[in-house]
Amino acid sequence: METLAARFAAAFEKLGADSKFGQVTLSQRPELGQFQCNGAMGASKALGQKPRDVAQAVIDAVADPALFAELTIAGPGFINIRITDDVLAGVCARMAASDRLAIAKTASPQTVIVDYGGPNVAKPMHVGHLRSSIIGDAIVRLFRFLGHDVKGDIHLGDWGTQMGMLIFELSNRQPSLPYFDANFTGPYPEEPPVTMDDLQQMYPAISGRCKEDEEARHASQAATVELQQGRPGYRALWQHFRDLSIAELKADFHRLGIDFDLWYGESNYDARLAPMVEEIKAKGIAVEDDGALVVHVAEEADKKPIPPVILLKSDGGANYATTDLATIEQRVRDFHADLILYVVDKRQSLHFEQVFRAAAKSGISGNARMEHLPFGTMNGKDGRPFKTREGGVMRLKDLIEMMTREAHQRMLEANVAQEYSEEERNEIAQKVGMAALKYADLMNVRTADYVFDIERFTKFEGRTGSYLLYAAVRIKSILRKAAERNLAAGTILPPSCDEERALMLALSQLPEAIATAAQQRMPHHLCAFAFDLGQALSRFYNACHIMDEKDAARQASWLALMTLVLRELELLLGLLGIEIPERM
Ligand code: ARG
């Protein structure tokens, strides 16, 4: 598409029009052409000529029989384009010969920090954290593939009032523990006094109580302040809570195929909050407002009011925003971040707008660019945010088990992998379940809400991860059969039929799909492309019977084509964080 666009841009320029009119897109009407250029209409105004005349002049200027099989004008001046089969096969051959499928690395590699996941220690995870993890992981993989230096940071919520609540709750349950004895001089026990299950049970109990019981609320708040001021027993307890949570989170995320590079948390920035606030104050951009210290960030052009960022609340405590500012400062200072991407729920858009402005105004962000990549909610069928358990508790473990169980069920119904050992079947079911979950999430335009429908997500037909796994595995099986018969892949020949031509055209669009997904930070482009490729592949199978083909050169070409399809699917699914089984 790039090559075509360059040719058309040059043609428009030659006619004295702007090169921007040379844009080429995939055709909306494949029966008329493979590509189209709609620039003649726009250029005609600038040139003072009839659009169809401009279109004809462009066609005359680009004419190149080696490249174009057909150039026609439709309607008011659309140019329909077909390229020659030789060129199309050549593009596929070039991709097949390249270990990166002819996708260049970026010419300007950047240090990119992706802030995603963001679960809160000892507090239940919710779908916002799940979505953030899945989308963030795809963004990390995509940017890394393009050659950027990427660090994914989980940015744990490990410093909020939930920590004080848990300390207070434990002090009621086990008051004789040394952590609560202000005179205790240590050392504190190495083993935590509670288990993760205890914490999961304690949190809803105390947070429920705090809603009704003012005394409990104050005590929890006080414990939080003491913790943050460094009371040794509370710090030691906090460390236990944090370690327990991190161990569970690491294990569960690993099963999800998501491994964060950095396990920093809000607590990491605590020591910087006070001095940073002082520095901002010294720059004269922080002002007192009703006892609080704020930075005004509203701008003339704002369409809606943007409230000031509160650095210090009237009780002197720092805020979520203050921590985020200190985090930006650290990322710029220690990692020299060029770009920081925040994959966080769209309900936090205002927060990030405020923080980014305050970071720029105070000079904290330096030359780094910051972007919030918001996403919508994953809802249950009741239209409310999805939950895996009563009481709003979502444990990744539960979710993974649920997806795997459902995958087993679909596999049974579709008679997939039933003849394999139980061990292999379990492994496949886990992969099918994770593919289903991730694809169902990533296929949506990031900002949209969607409904969690586990039965549909795991189906082997339609736009699902299972369907794509099946497509990839089917190629693997064909290639295995070919290898058994000593059939090798050969030179990719020009297509022999429309279905093969369409498959090649689809294959050739990979670089655009990846570039668009990265530019827009929108993984759904990868999902849509993978699905289209899968569809083109099915149509090809119906028309062309690889293993029965008598013409050896043709058969060898098809095997090369299948290898290319498989490599594209592997790349795409890999970028989505989806693992493909060897067989199914
Ligand atoms: N822990 C936060 C929450 O649960 C998400 C953190 C997002 N990242 C950030 N840098 N603020 O809402």
Side-chain angles (χ1 to χ4, degrees):
M1 210 125 76
E2 236 171 68
T3 312
L4 295 177
R7 298 278 186 115
F8 276 81
F12 276 102
E13 255 177 16
K14 197 171 140 195
L15 300 181
D18 197 301
S19 60
K20 72 174 186 213
F21 294 116
Q23 236 189 36
V24 171
T25 55
L26 265 192
S27 177
Q28 301 295 318
R29 300 180 55 189
E31 67 282 9
L32 298 181
Q34 294 164 325
F35 303 93
Q36 63 190 56
C37 173
N38 304 340
M41 280 78 77
S44 75
K45 290 192 199 84
L47 296 172
Q49 295 169 27
K50 287 193 198 118
R52 284 185 73 101
D53 293 345
V54 175
Q56 190 55 55
V58 169
I59 287 177
D60 294 339
V62 291
D64 175 356
L67 177 57
F68 297 109
E70 194 180 38
L71 291 164
T72 54
I73 305 173
F78 298 107
I79 303 175
N80 290 311
I81 307 161
R82 263 189 236 283
I83 58 173
T84 63
D85 286 346
D86 279 339
V87 167
L88 188 55
V91 170
C92 291
R94 193 152 50 79
M95 296 177 91
S98 149
D99 59 357
R100 291 181 54 87
L101 296 164
I103 300 164
K105 285 197 182 179
T106 174
S108 48
Q110 311 236 293
T111 299
V112 184
I113 308 284
V114 183
D115 181 313
Y116 70 117
N120 300 312
V121 164
K123 243 168 118 170
M125 258 178 95
H126 57 66
V127 289
H129 301 123
L130 176 72
R131 288 212 68 194
S132 170
S133 307
I134 293 175
I135 298 168
D137 181 53
I139 299 282
V140 166
R141 291 167 187 267
L142 180 57
F143 277 73
R144 199 165 275 159
F145 174 70
L146 291 175
H148 297 289
D149 176 11
V150 184
K151 288 192 175 60
D153 181 8
I154 191 167
H155 198 77
L156 281 178
D158 61 356
W159 209 228
T161 36
Q162 85 269 23
M163 306 311 298
M165 286 187 191
L166 287 167
I167 292 171
F168 172 64
E169 178 69 8
L170 190 63
S171 74
N172 291 327
R173 294 188 182 204
Q174 301 187 52
S176 59
L177 288 172
Y179 306 96
F180 306 116
D181 176 357
N183 299 318
F184 185 78
T185 51
Y188 293 98
E190 274 183 20
E191 283 300 304
V194 289
T195 64
M196 197 55 209
D197 281 333
D198 296 332
L199 288 183
Q200 302 270 0
Q201 197 261 324
M202 280 161 64
Y203 179 77
I206 181 65
S207 86
R209 186 172 154 202
C210 283
K211 286 197 184 92
E212 280 131 39
D213 179 346
E214 197 175 331
E215 228 168 280
R217 199 160 56 235
H218 281 298
S220 298
Q221 188 56 46
T224 309
V225 172
E226 280 193 86
L227 165 71
Q228 297 186 346
Q229 286 170 350
R231 178 170 161 168
Y234 288 9
R235 286 277 176 144
L237 260 188
W238 169 81
Q239 192 66 50
H240 284 313
F241 296 164
R242 191 176 189 274
D243 291 348
L244 282 172
S245 283
I246 289 185
E248 170 164 303
L249 286 169
K250 272 198 178 157
D252 290 344
F253 274 117
H254 185 72
R255 284 179 72 194
L256 263 182
I258 299 174
D259 295 292
F260 298 89
D261 302 303
L262 304 171
W263 283 79
Y264 291 172
E266 293 175 4
S267 64
N268 287 65
Y269 308 99
D270 182 58
R272 260 308 281 166
L273 297 181
M276 180 188 75
V277 168
E278 281 312 310
E279 287 169 26
I280 297 177
K281 235 164 124 179
K283 286 184 182 143
I285 53 172
V287 294
E288 299 269 344
D289 185 350
D290 222 0
L293 188 70
V294 307
V295 176
H296 286 286
V297 292
E299 284 165 15
E300 200 83 24
D302 289 341
K303 298 216 166 58
K304 54 175 198 284
I306 306 285
V309 174
I310 302 175
L311 292 179
L312 296 178
K313 294 177 282 191
S314 47
D315 66 2
N319 246 339
Y320 184 46
T322 326
T323 307
D324 263 324
L325 284 171
T327 309
I328 292 170
E329 182 191 59
Q330 181 268 342
R331 288 169 177 169
V332 171
R333 183 192 60 219
D334 294 354
F335 298 127
H336 309 287
D338 300 305
L339 177 63
I340 311 176
L341 301 174
Y342 293 83
V343 187
V344 186
D345 202 310
K346 67 182 171 196
R347 285 171 306 184
Q348 295 194 25
S349 291
L350 179 60
H351 164 75
F352 285 110
E353 183 62 47
Q354 292 174 292
V355 167
F356 296 167
R357 288 186 185 189
K361 197 170 170 185
S362 59
I364 282 175
S365 49
N367 294 324
R369 276 183 302 133
M370 294 157 291
E371 286 177 35
H372 176 212
L373 311 186
F375 55 82
T377 313
M378 173 173 123
N379 287 318
K381 284 188 178 156
D382 58 359
R384 322 205 20 193
F386 174 81
K387 294 170 177 169
T388 49
R389 270 196 202 171
E390 279 312 310
V393 185
M394 179 174 72
R395 289 180 84 170
L396 282 179
K397 241 192 226 102
D398 294 344
L399 183 71
I400 295 171
E401 262 153 40
M402 193 169 109
M403 295 307 304
T404 310
R405 223 180 310 125
E406 195 72 15
H408 267 298
Q409 188 58 32
R410 285 298 93 60
M411 284 160 60
L412 186 67
E413 288 161 14
N415 196 22
V416 167
Q418 296 306 305
E419 67 276 29
Y420 303 151
S421 73
E422 193 180 326
E423 194 193 346
E424 184 172 356
R425 202 159 57 235
N426 286 340
E427 204 186 298
I428 294 172
Q430 160 127 5
K431 286 187 175 152
V432 169
M434 289 304 95
L437 177 71
K438 291 184 180 180
Y439 190 86
D441 190 296
L442 295 168
M443 66 177 273
N444 304 289
V445 176
R446 176 160 52 64
T447 44
D449 297 342
Y450 72 95
V451 173
F452 184 81
D453 180 345
I454 188 166
E455 196 180 327
R456 184 165 56 78
F457 291 178
T458 42
K459 281 204 167 123
F460 285 94
E461 309 99 48
R463 288 181 187 269
T464 66
S466 322
Y467 168 78
L468 289 170
L469 288 192
Y470 197 77
V473 165
R474 189 168 167 194
I475 304 178
K476 289 193 187 194
S477 138
I478 292 173
L479 295 177
R480 263 197 307 270
K481 267 188 218 134
E484 278 162 23
R485 290 199 217 160
N486 285 323
L487 299 173
T491 308
I492 294 180
L493 301 174
S496 58
C497 60
D498 281 345
E499 289 81 2
E500 188 177 0
R501 192 172 290 111
L503 177 60
M504 286 184 170
L505 184 65
L507 283 165
S508 72
Q509 299 307 303
L510 177 73
E512 270 84 12
I514 289 188
T516 309
Q519 269 154 21
Q520 301 180 3
R521 292 89 163 96
M522 288 281 195
H524 76 271
H525 290 293
L526 303 177
C527 294
F529 177 79
F531 179 74
D532 291 345
L533 187 57
Q535 296 280 85
L537 179 65
S538 311
R539 286 190 282 267
F540 169 81
Y541 283 143
N542 286 335
C544 307
H545 303 279
I546 303 173
M547 296 314 275
D548 303 337
E549 176 59 34
K550 297 283 172 318
D551 178 342
R554 176 59 61 191
Q555 189 180 45
S557 164
W558 282 347
L559 289 174
L561 207 56
M562 288 306 101
T563 309
L564 180 57
V565 180
L566 178 60
R567 287 182 57 209
E568 289 204 5
L569 285 175
E570 283 173 337
L571 174 65
L572 289 159
L573 293 173
L575 293 176
L576 301 172
I578 294 175
E579 272 185 76
I580 307 171
E582 229 11 73
R583 55 178 196 171
M584 257 158 70

Short mmCIF file of all heavy atoms in Angstrom, two decimals, residues 296-321:
data_model
loop_
_atom_site.label_atom_id
_atom_site.label_comp_id
_atom_site.label_asym_id
_atom_site.label_seq_id
_atom_site.Cartn_x
_atom_site.Cartn_y
_atom_site.Cartn_z
N HIS A 296 -3.36 24.79 39.72
CA HIS A 296 -4.43 25.05 38.76
C HIS A 296 -4.00 24.61 37.38
O HIS A 296 -2.91 24.93 36.92
CB HIS A 296 -4.77 26.56 38.75
CG HIS A 296 -5.53 26.95 39.98
ND1 HIS A 296 -6.85 26.62 40.19
CD2 HIS A 296 -5.14 27.63 41.10
CE1 HIS A 296 -7.25 27.06 41.36
NE2 HIS A 296 -6.23 27.69 41.95
N VAL A 297 -4.86 23.86 36.72
CA VAL A 297 -4.47 23.34 35.41
C VAL A 297 -5.49 23.65 34.32
O VAL A 297 -5.36 23.18 33.18
CB VAL A 297 -4.22 21.80 35.46
CG1 VAL A 297 -2.99 21.49 36.28
CG2 VAL A 297 -5.44 21.06 36.00
N ALA A 298 -6.52 24.43 34.66
CA ALA A 298 -7.53 24.76 33.65
C ALA A 298 -6.88 25.59 32.54
O ALA A 298 -5.94 26.34 32.79
CB ALA A 298 -8.67 25.53 34.29
N GLU A 299 -7.36 25.41 31.32
CA GLU A 299 -6.83 26.18 30.20
C GLU A 299 -7.98 26.88 29.49
O GLU A 299 -9.13 26.42 29.51
CB GLU A 299 -6.10 25.25 29.21
CG GLU A 299 -4.73 24.83 29.72
CD GLU A 299 -4.15 23.63 28.96
OE1 GLU A 299 -4.68 23.32 27.87
OE2 GLU A 299 -3.20 23.04 29.46
N GLU A 300 -7.61 27.98 28.83
CA GLU A 300 -8.56 28.80 28.09
C GLU A 300 -9.48 27.96 27.20
O GLU A 300 -10.69 28.11 27.19
CB GLU A 300 -7.75 29.75 27.20
CG GLU A 300 -8.47 30.96 26.71
CD GLU A 300 -8.49 32.10 27.74
OE1 GLU A 300 -7.59 32.15 28.63
OE2 GLU A 300 -9.37 32.92 27.64
N ALA A 301 -8.87 27.05 26.47
CA ALA A 301 -9.60 26.32 25.43
C ALA A 301 -10.46 25.17 25.96
O ALA A 301 -11.13 24.49 25.19
CB ALA A 301 -8.61 25.77 24.41
N ASP A 302 -10.45 24.95 27.27
CA ASP A 302 -11.19 23.80 27.81
C ASP A 302 -12.69 23.90 27.52
O ASP A 302 -13.30 24.95 27.72
CB ASP A 302 -10.99 23.71 29.34
CG ASP A 302 -9.58 23.27 29.69
OD1 ASP A 302 -8.90 22.71 28.81
OD2 ASP A 302 -9.17 23.50 30.84
N LYS A 303 -13.24 22.79 27.09
CA LYS A 303 -14.68 22.77 26.80
C LYS A 303 -15.46 22.45 28.08
O LYS A 303 -16.60 22.82 28.23
CB LYS A 303 -14.99 21.73 25.73
CG LYS A 303 -14.28 22.09 24.42
CD LYS A 303 -15.13 21.74 23.21
CE LYS A 303 -14.58 22.41 21.97
NZ LYS A 303 -13.15 22.03 21.72
N LYS A 304 -14.83 21.69 28.96
CA LYS A 304 -15.46 21.42 30.26
C LYS A 304 -14.48 21.85 31.35
O LYS A 304 -13.27 21.91 31.10
CB LYS A 304 -15.82 19.94 30.39
CG LYS A 304 -14.64 19.01 30.13
CD LYS A 304 -15.04 17.58 30.40
CE LYS A 304 -13.89 16.67 30.59
NZ LYS A 304 -13.05 16.15 29.72
N PRO A 305 -15.01 22.17 32.53
CA PRO A 305 -14.11 22.65 33.58
C PRO A 305 -13.13 21.56 34.03
O PRO A 305 -13.54 20.41 34.23
CB PRO A 305 -15.06 23.02 34.73
CG PRO A 305 -16.39 22.43 34.40
CD PRO A 305 -16.42 22.12 32.95
N ILE A 306 -11.86 21.90 34.12
CA ILE A 306 -10.85 20.96 34.62
C ILE A 306 -10.43 21.46 36.01
O ILE A 306 -9.76 22.48 36.13
CB ILE A 306 -9.62 20.92 33.70
CG1 ILE A 306 -10.02 20.60 32.24
CG2 ILE A 306 -8.60 19.90 34.21
CD1 ILE A 306 -10.38 19.17 31.96
N PRO A 307 -10.83 20.75 37.04
CA PRO A 307 -10.52 21.19 38.41
C PRO A 307 -9.02 21.13 38.69
O PRO A 307 -8.29 20.41 38.01
CB PRO A 307 -11.27 20.21 39.30
CG PRO A 307 -11.85 19.15 38.44
CD PRO A 307 -11.61 19.50 37.01
N PRO A 308 -8.56 21.90 39.69
CA PRO A 308 -7.13 21.87 40.03
C PRO A 308 -6.71 20.51 40.58
O PRO A 308 -7.54 19.76 41.09
CB PRO A 308 -7.00 22.95 41.11
CG PRO A 308 -8.38 23.18 41.62
CD PRO A 308 -9.33 22.82 40.53
N VAL A 309 -5.42 20.22 40.46
CA VAL A 309 -4.86 19.00 41.04
C VAL A 309 -4.57 19.27 42.52
O VAL A 309 -3.93 20.27 42.85
CB VAL A 309 -3.54 18.63 40.34
CG1 VAL A 309 -2.87 17.45 41.02
CG2 VAL A 309 -3.79 18.34 38.87
N ILE A 310 -5.03 18.39 43.37
CA ILE A 310 -4.78 18.57 44.81
C ILE A 310 -3.51 17.82 45.18
O ILE A 310 -3.46 16.59 45.14
CB ILE A 310 -5.98 18.05 45.63
CG1 ILE A 310 -7.24 18.81 45.21
CG2 ILE A 310 -5.70 18.21 47.12
CD1 ILE A 310 -8.50 18.32 45.87
N LEU A 311 -2.46 18.59 45.50
CA LEU A 311 -1.19 17.97 45.89
C LEU A 311 -1.25 17.49 47.33
O LEU A 311 -0.81 16.39 47.64
CB LEU A 311 -0.05 18.98 45.76
CG LEU A 311 0.35 19.43 44.36
CD1 LEU A 311 1.49 20.44 44.46
CD2 LEU A 311 0.76 18.25 43.50
N LEU A 312 -1.73 18.38 48.19
CA LEU A 312 -1.89 18.02 49.60
C LEU A 312 -3.31 18.36 50.02
O LEU A 312 -3.80 19.46 49.76
CB LEU A 312 -0.91 18.80 50.49
CG LEU A 312 0.59 18.55 50.28
CD1 LEU A 312 1.40 19.43 51.21
CD2 LEU A 312 0.95 17.08 50.52
N LYS A 313 -3.97 17.39 50.64
CA LYS A 313 -5.32 17.63 51.14
C LYS A 313 -5.22 18.55 52.37
O LYS A 313 -4.13 18.80 52.88
CB LYS A 313 -5.97 16.30 51.55
CG LYS A 313 -6.21 15.40 50.35
CD LYS A 313 -6.79 14.06 50.78
CE LYS A 313 -5.71 13.14 51.33
NZ LYS A 313 -6.12 11.76 51.53
N SER A 314 -6.36 19.02 52.84
CA SER A 314 -6.31 19.96 53.97
C SER A 314 -5.73 19.31 55.23
O SER A 314 -5.21 19.99 56.09
CB SER A 314 -7.70 20.56 54.23
OG SER A 314 -8.66 19.53 54.25
N ASP A 315 -5.79 17.96 55.31
CA ASP A 315 -5.17 17.30 56.47
C ASP A 315 -3.67 17.07 56.25
O ASP A 315 -3.00 16.43 57.04
CB ASP A 315 -5.88 15.98 56.79
CG ASP A 315 -5.69 14.92 55.69
OD1 ASP A 315 -4.97 15.20 54.70
OD2 ASP A 315 -6.27 13.82 55.81
N GLY A 316 -3.14 17.58 55.14
CA GLY A 316 -1.70 17.46 54.88
C GLY A 316 -1.32 16.19 54.15
O GLY A 316 -0.17 16.00 53.75
N GLY A 317 -2.29 15.30 53.96
CA GLY A 317 -1.99 14.02 53.30
C GLY A 317 -1.85 14.20 51.79
O GLY A 317 -2.48 15.08 51.19
N ALA A 318 -1.01 13.36 51.19
CA ALA A 318 -0.87 13.41 49.74
C ALA A 318 -1.99 12.62 49.09
O ALA A 318 -2.70 11.87 49.74
CB ALA A 318 0.49 12.83 49.34
N ASN A 319 -2.13 12.80 47.79
CA ASN A 319 -3.23 12.23 47.03
C ASN A 319 -2.76 11.21 46.01
O ASN A 319 -1.57 11.12 45.72
CB ASN A 319 -3.88 13.37 46.24
CG ASN A 319 -5.28 13.64 46.72
OD1 ASN A 319 -5.88 12.78 47.34
ND2 ASN A 319 -5.78 14.80 46.41
N TYR A 320 -3.72 10.55 45.40
CA TYR A 320 -3.46 9.67 44.24
C TYR A 320 -2.69 10.45 43.16
O TYR A 320 -1.70 9.96 42.60
CB TYR A 320 -4.83 9.21 43.72
CG TYR A 320 -4.85 8.23 42.58
CD1 TYR A 320 -4.04 7.09 42.57
CD2 TYR A 320 -5.75 8.41 41.52
CE1 TYR A 320 -4.12 6.17 41.53
CE2 TYR A 320 -5.83 7.50 40.48
CZ TYR A 320 -5.01 6.38 40.48
OH TYR A 320 -5.09 5.48 39.44
N ALA A 321 -3.10 11.69 42.92
CA ALA A 321 -2.44 12.50 41.89
C ALA A 321 -0.99 12.83 42.25
O ALA A 321 -0.11 12.86 41.40
CB ALA A 321 -3.23 13.79 41.66
#
